Every structure is written in structure tokens, then in C-alpha cells.
């Protein structure tokens, strides 16, 4: 049996007051911003190799497909660690957990910057995965503990805003820094930013003792009983896997298919990032299902075209559309899950975080196999096929949900149900 959707009728607005943490409003919002910065650092760290595959591979003597493991490995580790840290850290102060995870990420990136070979670099990337999965899962439910009730929605949006911002701005900035000072400089810079973020969390976060933790039993139970959550998990996996099957290899794609000069790739990725920020704000207030249907259908066409249409102008235009459309994915997926399970938001978010990161790994792996086994254009074509599957899933799910809502409405209006039955009887009699 699915959980009922949250009521569309807003309740009374809570009166202004101190934040639940006991600090003043400025300190509370500073804490929220610090958590958002932590999310930004972690997702930037996870996706940083996307713009550095070619130079890392050339320097350490591995192929583009093998270099893609720098995205695959932390994604897999993060997927496992999202629920594990949420449950395992049940008795620990959340402030201490977040600070330790960010410090671990900073140390891992500094180790990557000095890695003598690809094996050491991959080991450092595993530690990044631990940080990403644990921090994202724990931080997702903190807004209610940092700000007053009437600001929780805005604070949650700010915290999760670190995800799309990292995806669309952190990677291009890291790519640009890597081209200017080398890929090791890019990893080192993210490590330094992580250290600064650790200090900010220590200074700004209040004590956050554990409350009611998520249990291991709750996660599979939520999947069994809630069709909306199950559909959200499937759509998350398809969309994100399709995205990273293509995006992990965007640099060789622009070089080999579109004919873009290597020196312009960072500039184009920055344009992709700016388009993605616009897409995030455009998607924010819109219906999550309709947005994800539009996103998946549009990206099916964009990824198919960028794989086969030559020319720098066409490649640039398609890349910008790609960024604009994908920018709305994270916020729409989060809203889908919260709408599907409003009374189990932490558990639903934990599932989404796990699947999101598994999908990053699966996408990078699928793209790597396509590149090494077929050619570079096979990566975006693989992504297009997965996006098409996501579009079909959203369409079917939306139709089923609409039917369920109509049935639920009929059950609440017995007179209308009776008339409908009478009309059906008369219609059959006429026939």
C-alpha cells in the first residue's frame, strides 16, 4: 500500500522564532550554507575526473576507458556507504560525522594530487566515495534541525543545491584549473577547499545529537510498500546512468566527433555548467514527473545527435542544450521522492542517494565499455537508449498515478461513484 501524498492545502505558517539549534537566524543560515558547501565539495570531487580523463590517462599510462574508473569506483563506494553511514552513525553527533567525512575527502584529494601511479590514485578515489555517500545521506535531513519550521523548505533547497551546482560548475572549473596548472593542481585545489569547509563546519554547525535513526529494515520495507518510491528509484537509475555513460566521456566526444580544439573544452564545459544552473532554477517550481519526462525525452534526442552530428558549432549547441536540460534532474528527483514518501523522507532520500551514486558508477562503467569496445560515439548512444527507457518509465508511472488519483477521488465522493455506475449500466443496456 502506498503512502498518501502530502496535502496540497498549506497549513498555518509557524511563528518566527529561534532556530531548533538554539542559534540566531544568521548563525543558522551560515550553518546551512556550510553544509551546502560541503555537498558542493564532495560532488565536485566525485565528478572531477570527468574533465581530466585525457591528461590523467596520458600521464599515468592508462586508456580513457580505464581512467573512467576514477568515476566508477567512488560511485560504487558512495552507493554502499549512503545507507551504511546513515544507520551506522545512529549514535553519533551529526556535526562530528560531517566534519570527519569532509576531512576524509580533503585528505583523499591531496593524496590523489601526489599519486605516483593509477593504483594509488584509485585507492584515494575510494575514500572519496565513502565521504560522498555518507555526507550526502546524513546532510539531507538536517534542515529541520538548523532553521525554524517555516524556513525548512528553503534550507533544504539550499543544501541540495550543492549537488547540481557541483555537477554544472565544479567540474568545468576543475577542468579549467587542470588545463592551466595540470590535473594534480585540480585535485590539490579541491583538497584545500575541503579542508576549509571542514573548518567552516566545525565553527558554524551546532551540536546535532542523534534523533530517530533509519534502520536497515525500513529501507527495503519502503521499497516494497510504496510504488512511487520504487518508480523514483528506477527513474533515478536510468536517467543518471544514461547521463554518465555519455558525460564521463564528453571530452573525447567533443574532440573526436565534434572536432572541438582541446583548448576550448574547458570553456564549453563552463557554458554547459551555466546552462545547467539555469535549468535547475527553471525546473525547481515545476511538477517533478512532467519535468523528468521532458528531460529524459529531450536528452534521448540530444545524446543521439551529439554522437553522430559532426562540427564544432553543432557540438557546442547540443552541449548547451544538454546542460540546460540536465540541470533540472537533481531537484526534480529529490522532489519526486519527497512527494512519494512525505512521512519517510529520510529513508526515501537515503535510497535516492544510494541509487544516484550507483548509477554514476554504472554509467561511467557502461560508457567505458562502449568506448573501449566500440568507439567514443557509442558512449552517448548508450546514454540515449537509457534516457529513452527512463522517458517510457516516467510516462507509464504518471499515467498509473493519475488513474490512482482519479479512483481515490471517486472513493471520496460516493454520489459521483453511484452516478458513474448508473451511467455505465444504462450505456450497456442501450448497446
Amino acid at each position: 500500500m502506498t503512502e498518501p501524498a502530502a496535502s496540497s492545502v498549506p497549513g498555518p505558517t509557524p511563528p518566527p522564532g529561534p532556530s531548533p539549534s538554539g542559534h540566531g537566524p544568521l548563525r543558522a543560515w551560515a550553518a546551512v550554507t556550510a553544509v551546502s558547501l560541503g555537498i558542493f565539495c564532495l560532488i565536485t570531487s566525485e565528478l572531477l575526473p570527468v574533465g581530466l580523463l585525457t591528461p590523467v590517462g596520458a600521464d599515468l599510462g592508462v586508456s580513457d576507458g580505464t581512467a573512467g574508473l576514477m568515476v566508477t569506483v567512488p560511485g560504487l563506494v558512495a552507493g554502499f556507504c549512503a545507507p551504511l553511514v546513515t544507520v551506522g552513525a545512529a549514535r553519533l553527533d551529526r556535526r562530528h560525522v560531517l566534519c570527519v567525512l569532509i576531512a576524509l575527502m580533503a585528505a583523499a584529494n591531496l593524496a590523489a594530487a601526489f599519486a605516483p601511479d593509477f593504483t594509488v590514485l584509485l585507492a584515494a578515489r575510494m575514500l572519496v566515495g565513502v565521504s560522498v555517500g555518507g555526507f550526502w545521506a546524513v546532510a539531507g535531513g538536517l534542515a529541520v534541525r538548523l532553521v525554524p519550521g517555516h524556513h525548512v523548505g528553503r534550507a533544504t533547497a539550499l543544501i541540495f543545491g550543492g549537488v547540481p551546482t557541483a555537477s554544472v560548475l565544479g567540474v568545468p572549473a576543475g577542468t579549467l584549473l587542470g588545463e592551466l596548472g595540470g590535473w594534480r593542481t585540480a585535485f590539490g585545489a579541491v583538497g584545500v577547499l575541503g579542508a576549509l569547509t571542514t573548518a567552516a563546519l566545525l565553527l558554524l554547525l551546532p551540536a546535532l545529537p542523534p534523533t530517530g535513526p533509519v534502520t536497515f529494515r525500513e529501507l527495503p520495507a519502503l521499497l516494497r510498500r510504496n510504488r512511487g518510491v520504487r518508480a523514483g528509484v528506477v527513474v533515478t537509475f536510468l536517467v543518471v546512468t544514461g547521463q554518465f555513460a555519455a558525460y564521463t566521456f564528453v571530452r573525447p566526444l567533443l574532440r573526436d566527433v565534434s572536432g572541438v580544439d582541446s583548448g576550448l573544452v574547458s570553456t564549453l564545459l563552463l557554458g554547459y555548467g551555466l546552462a545547467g544552473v539555469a535549468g535547475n532554477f527553471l525546473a525547481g517550481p515545476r511538477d517533478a514527473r512532467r519535468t523528468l519526462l521532458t528531460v529524459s525525452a529531450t536528452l534521448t534526442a540530444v545524446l543521439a545527435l551529439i554522437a553522430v552530428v559532426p562540427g564544432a558549432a553543432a557540438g557546442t549547441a547540443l552541449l548547451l542544450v544538454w546542460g540546460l536540460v540536465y540541470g533540472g534532474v537533481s531537484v526534480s528527483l529529490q522532489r519526486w521522492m519527497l512527494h512519494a514518501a512525505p512521512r519517510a523522507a529520510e529513508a526515501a532520500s537515503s535510497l535516492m542517494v544510494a541509487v544516484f551514486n550507483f548509477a554514476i558508477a554504472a554509467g561511467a562503467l557502461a560508457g567505458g565499455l562502449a568506448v573501449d569496445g566500440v568507439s567514443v560515439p557509442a558512449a552517448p548512444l548508450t546514454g540515449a537508449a537509457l534516457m529513452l527507457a527512463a522517458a517510457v518509465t516516467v510516462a507509464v508511472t504518471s499515467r498509473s498515478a493519475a488513474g490512482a488519483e482519479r479512483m481515490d477521488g471517486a472513493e471520496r465522493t460516493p454520489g459521483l461513484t453511484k452516478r458513474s455506475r448508473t451511467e455505465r449500466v444504462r450505456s450497456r443496456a442501450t448497446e
Side-chain angles (χ1 to χ4, degrees):
M1 181 176 180
T2 58
E3 292 189 3
S7 173
S8 59
V9 180
T13 302
S19 67
S21 64
H23 293 278
L26 291 179
R27 181 69 177 272
W29 282 106
V32 170
T33 303
V35 175
S36 181
L37 178 60
I39 292 275
F40 173 84
C41 290
L42 286 160
I43 305 303
T44 297
S45 176
E46 183 178 17
L47 304 182
L48 183 63
V50 168
L52 302 173
L53 285 182
T54 301
V56 170
D59 191 25
L60 299 182
V62 297
S63 67
D64 284 343
T66 301
L69 291 173
M70 291 187 293
V71 179
T72 305
V73 169
L76 286 172
V77 174
F80 281 112
C81 286
L84 289 177
V85 172
T86 301
V87 176
R91 299 182 179 181
L92 301 178
D93 189 305
R94 295 299 193 257
R95 174 175 178 264
H96 298 155
V97 173
L98 296 182
C99 289
V100 168
L101 290 170
I102 285 289
L104 179 63
M105 182 276 294
N109 277 280
L110 292 174
F114 294 97
D117 54 46
F118 190 71
T119 301
V120 174
L121 178 57
L122 208 56
R125 298 294 297 165
M126 290 181 67
L127 297 180
V128 170
V130 175
S131 303
V132 170
F135 191 101
W136 189 359
V138 172
L142 287 184
V144 70
R145 304 185 63 183
L146 295 176
V147 299
H150 59 291
H151 287 316
V152 167
R154 202 186 323 173
T156 301
L158 179 57
I159 288 174
F160 277 95
V163 178
T165 305
S167 300
V168 299
L169 288 181
V171 174
T175 303
L176 179 60
L177 187 59
E179 290 186 351
L180 294 175
W183 65 268
R184 295 180 185 275
T185 301
F187 280 106
V190 175
V192 171
L193 182 59
L196 295 175
T197 303
T198 303
L201 290 170
L202 283 170
L203 290 172
L204 299 174
L205 277 182
L208 296 168
T211 55
V214 176
T215 65
F216 282 120
R217 291 183 179 180
E218 184 177 353
L219 300 179
L222 184 61
L223 281 175
R224 285 195 304 269
R225 71 174 184 260
N226 193 312
R227 288 180 296 177
V229 169
R230 287 199 304 272
V233 165
V234 172
V235 172
T236 298
F237 183 79
L238 291 172
V239 169
V240 179
T241 302
Q243 163 70 8
F244 285 94
Y247 188 61
T248 302
F249 302 93
V250 66
R251 184 170 184 141
L253 177 67
L254 292 174
R255 179 195 63 202
D256 296 350
V257 177
S258 302
V260 174
D261 184 85
S262 298
L264 295 177
V265 170
S266 60
T267 302
L268 292 183
L269 289 180
L270 183 59
Y272 171 98
L274 293 174
V277 170
N280 178 66
F281 285 106
L282 287 172
R286 302 182 186 276
D287 179 77
R289 294 180 187 272
R290 293 179 181 177
T291 300
L292 287 169
L293 180 59
T294 301
V295 165
S296 52
T298 303
L299 288 180
T300 299
V302 169
L303 295 182
L305 289 173
I306 202 170
V308 299
V309 177
T316 299
L318 289 168
L319 183 69
L320 293 178
V321 174
W322 183 357
L324 178 68
V325 175
Y326 185 75
V329 165
S330 295
V331 63
S332 298
L333 289 173
Q334 182 65 30
R335 289 183 61 209
W336 177 314
M337 299 301 280
L338 294 179
H339 178 78
R343 290 182 293 183
E346 187 174 348
S349 295
S350 178
L351 288 171
M352 191 202 72
V353 172
V355 173
F356 198 106
N357 283 282
F358 279 134
I360 291 175
L365 179 60
L369 293 173
V371 168
D372 286 349
V374 184
S375 63
V376 170
L381 290 176
T382 301
L386 291 165
M387 291 293 180
L388 179 59
V392 172
T393 303
V394 175
V396 171
T397 302
S398 298
R399 189 176 297 112
S400 299
E405 288 173 1
R406 285 196 297 270
M407 291 179 63
D408 183 59
E411 290 175 358
R412 295 179 185 179
T413 54
L416 179 60
T417 304
K418 184 176 181 180
R419 288 197 302 271
S420 299
R421 290 174 178 173
T422 302
E423 290 173 0
R424 286 199 297 270
V425 170
R426 289 177 179 174
S427 176
R428 290 172 182 171
T430 302
E431 293 175 356

